[in-house]
Amino acid sequence: MVEAVADIGLIGLAVMGQNLILNMNDHGFVVCAYNRTTSKVDSFLENEAKGTNIVGAHSVEELCAKLKRPRKVMLLVKAGSAVDAFIDQLLPFLEKGDIIIDGGNSHFPDSIRRTKELEEKGILFVGSGVSGGEEGARFGPSLMPGGNPAAWESIKPIFQSIAAKAPDGAACCDWVGETGAGHYVKMVHNGIEYGDMQLITEVYQIMLEGLGLTHDEMAEVFAEWNKGELDSFLIEITRDILKYKDTDGEPLVTKIRDTAGQKGTGKWTGIDSLDRGIPVTLIGEAVYSRCLSSLKDERTRASKILKGPSPKFSGDKKAFIAQLGQALYAAKIVSYAQGYMLMRQAAKDYDWKLNNAGIALMWRGGCIIRSAFLGKIRDAYNNNPELENLLFDSFFADATAKAQDAWRNVVAQAVVMGIPTPALSTALNFYDGLRHEMLPANLLQAQRDYFGAHTYERLDAPGKWVHTNWTGRGGNVSASTYDA
Ligand code: 6PG
């Protein structure tokens, strides 16, 4: 009989899986490794895992036999049908109370479905966001587990010990919420990642085209920014990327084809925001910007047809660079506020009790969007867990107020120079829209009623929907009112 020696099993020995196993081993857990192509198990045990307590299995049955009860099996396989296929293979060898954890970038509706389907079979499902790339997996990722809450006590010791630690020592991992909440929060994380990256590329283009800075000069700017309120992983790696030279001494980044790839998690966030009616405009623009970048051939033709101004800045460059930093900071605040608005709505829709401060803590270290700034978001939600909007917190309200002159000037100058700033400017437009008690949607409602008898609500009679016969030619019959 096979002895149950392992604390957890892990399926999928690509680099993320291998590194998570090694990380768990470092923290004193015995891991049983399995991979569909079993030769990978052997080579892992003979190489990377040599001299560790890691054990291997050559079948799903053997893997399950080697696990202590309740069994915990973590999947790090391609999101989609592969996850369902492995769940089906595991089920005959699991018992009630055993736990399946999906650590891939799964779409949250799949995690909602899997939690429910497995609950009916007595199996506890966890869908966990894992962020931080290869290095994070090896030395401390940000982990965002959600699913069946009954699983949390059993996996908590493993998850919290292998997770990254915030500067105050707190683990960047906590229970996110029920069913698909973990993967939902990871999806929003990725959307915010798209937004942060887009903002950085916009200030890069302004410094490059508008200010004519060299890559080394820009690296200096990012190095400075990384010492202040913009201190973050993405600013730090941008500094290093800008400095990096190709073999001929030229900055390598200038030789990279300007078409952005994407695996789809930013798009999911954008689509989800449209479905819920929450204006997550910055992430939307970040996704569209990647789409526009990939139309390289059409842009090349357009560059020869469409006219624009010459992108040359005249003025105090040093002062403008400081303003760029402020614009970046303010737009980033808006992006996180939008992300939190979306999570708030999803929590209402699915009856999740999301811990907003906890989410900021999970993102504080280990993940791609890690930054000092997330400590401020955690403080805001700790001060007021019911905070309606991040921008209403006094720290963030003051920060945007302080930055806004610079932010407006940067967007205005970019417009004059003809340099695109979709994310910087949509954030400013959102900010201005949000702070307007009155928007011109009164006129829009009148138009809808004019051409389609869609009715409108009078300010002096809330809740009363009326139709006006605007032309005298239409009838008094109105269409029913409805909202998408
Ligand atoms: C992370 C990242 C990761 C993501 C890649 C690529 O948190 O470690 O978000 O999960 O898949 O960064 O994403 P795109 O290919 O969509 O840019």
Side-chain angles (χ1 to χ4, degrees):
M1 189 173 142
V2 181
E3 209 190 330
V5 287
D7 299 299
I8 186 165
L10 197 140
I11 298 179
L13 294 182
V15 64
M16 290 292 285
Q18 289 197 9
N19 282 355
L20 270 184
I21 294 175
L22 293 168
N23 184 355
M24 289 173 184
N25 176 75
D26 286 351
H27 286 88
F29 300 102
V30 177
V31 191
C32 183
Y34 173 72
N35 195 76
R36 195 173 47 182
T37 310
T38 50
S39 56
K40 259 199 156 173
V41 178
D42 300 325
S43 87
F44 178 57
L45 292 179
E46 280 156 26
N47 294 290
E48 295 84 352
K50 204 179 170 88
T52 67
N53 293 327
I54 297 163
V55 295
H58 288 94
S59 67
V60 167
E61 181 174 10
E62 187 189 348
L63 170 80
C64 293
K66 284 188 170 166
L67 299 179
K68 295 182 196 162
R69 316 294 195 263
R71 296 179 185 85
K72 296 170 265 310
V73 187
M74 185 159 184
L75 301 171
L76 269 159
V77 299
K78 198 170 182 306
S81 57
V83 176
D84 290 311
F86 271 113
I87 291 176
D88 287 345
Q89 283 184 47
L90 282 164
L91 281 175
F93 308 109
L94 297 181
E95 292 165 318
K96 282 199 182 344
D98 286 347
I99 299 165
I100 297 178
I101 307 154
D102 171 19
N105 250 338
S106 292
H107 198 195
F108 74 93
D110 286 335
S111 301
I112 295 178
R113 170 179 59 79
R114 288 170 186 144
T115 307
K116 290 182 183 155
E117 284 173 3
L118 288 171
E119 189 171 9
E120 283 161 18
K121 298 183 165 72
I123 304 297
L124 312 178
F125 178 79
V126 174
S128 180
V130 177
S131 177
E134 292 169 30
E135 208 176 309
R138 180 67 187 86
F139 300 110
S142 158
L143 295 172
M144 298 153 241
N148 194 321
W152 180 227
E153 278 314 307
S154 306
I155 65 166
K156 187 174 169 179
I158 303 179
F159 268 47
Q160 291 199 331
S161 40
I162 64 163
K165 305 292 174 295
D168 66 359
C172 296
C173 169
D174 206 346
W175 185 248
V176 178
E178 301 207 330
T179 64
H183 274 132
Y184 190 88
V185 166
K186 175 61 171 45
M187 177 190 78
V188 176
H189 162 284
N190 278 32
I192 289 178
E193 172 184 308
Y194 275 51
D196 280 355
M197 293 168 79
Q198 175 63 27
L199 286 169
I200 290 173
T201 63
E202 289 177 16
V203 296
Y204 164 66
Q205 192 171 15
I206 294 174
M207 287 195 273
L208 185 70
E209 284 186 21
L211 306 186
L213 298 196
T214 65
H215 282 73
D216 283 334
E217 285 167 339
M218 288 188 271
E220 280 304 307
V221 174
F222 279 94
E224 272 313 302
W225 284 348
N226 203 41
K227 293 178 190 153
E229 58 207 6
L230 288 168
D231 172 1
S232 63
F233 171 70
L234 285 168
I235 294 279
E236 184 186 315
I237 66 164
T238 304
R239 173 198 69 196
D240 297 344
I241 290 167
L242 293 173
K243 274 197 297 210
Y244 196 95
K245 303 288 186 298
D246 198 5
T247 41
D248 61 0
E250 290 300 309
L252 178 61
V253 69
T254 59
K255 305 199 174 168
I256 297 177
R257 188 176 154 94
D258 53 327
T259 55
Q262 49 182 323
K263 295 205 195 83
T265 45
K267 181 178 81 178
W268 290 345
T269 317
I271 292 172
D272 187 73
S273 73
L274 287 169
D275 281 342
R276 287 181 214 291
I278 301 295
V280 185
T281 62
L282 196 144
I283 295 173
E285 286 293 353
V287 177
Y288 284 132
S289 296
R290 289 195 189 195
C291 300
L292 181 59
S293 80
S294 65
L295 301 178
K296 174 82 175 168
D297 294 343
E298 194 168 337
R299 285 191 290 112
T300 302
R301 287 188 290 279
S303 70
K304 298 185 175 71
I305 301 169
L306 305 178
K307 302 277 170 281
S310 125
K312 285 288 161 273
F313 176 82
S314 54
D316 182 344
K317 279 191 193 177
K318 209 165 162 235
F320 191 70
I321 290 168
Q323 291 189 336
L324 273 179
Q326 286 293 290
L328 183 53
Y329 184 51
K332 184 174 160 112
I333 294 173
V334 165
S335 181
Y336 283 67
Q338 291 183 340
Y340 266 93
M341 285 168 73
L342 184 61
M343 290 192 288
R344 182 184 162 89
Q345 186 58 43
K348 270 191 210 155
D349 295 346
Y350 296 115
D351 204 17
W352 293 333
K353 275 152 216 65
L354 294 185
N355 171 358
N356 291 320
I359 292 167
L361 173 63
M362 280 178 253
W363 294 347
R364 173 71 186 86
C367 65
I368 306 296
I369 64 170
R370 62 184 179 262
S371 67
F373 165 85
L374 278 155
K376 298 288 181 198
I377 299 183
R378 186 191 50 184
D379 294 347
Y381 284 109
N382 272 338
N383 290 341
N384 178 7
E386 303 308 321
L387 186 65
E388 185 183 359
N389 190 305
L390 189 61
L391 289 163
F392 298 173
D393 170 74
S394 59
F395 175 84
F396 289 109
D398 290 349
T400 41
K402 235 178 75 204
Q404 69 169 299
D405 288 348
W407 188 14
R408 290 181 194 286
N409 190 44
V410 164
V411 171
Q413 293 285 339
V415 170
V416 170
M417 291 190 284
I419 299 174
T421 55
L424 285 168
S425 55
T426 196
L428 184 54
N429 279 311
F430 173 87
Y431 178 79
D432 283 334
L434 186 66
R435 60 180 196 83
H436 264 72
E437 187 181 350
M438 191 75 187
L439 284 172
N442 51 341
L443 175 57
L444 196 138
Q445 284 294 78
Q447 291 168 335
R448 293 177 67 241
D449 190 55
Y450 186 111
F451 63 67
H454 292 297
T455 74
Y456 58 88
E457 191 181 11
R458 288 186 62 96
L459 281 171
D460 56 6
K464 193 169 169 223
W465 293 83
V466 292
H467 166 59
T468 294
N469 182 355
W470 296 89
T471 59
R473 293 189 302 276
N476 288 321
V477 183
S478 60
S480 57
T481 102
Y482 52 85
D483 283 315

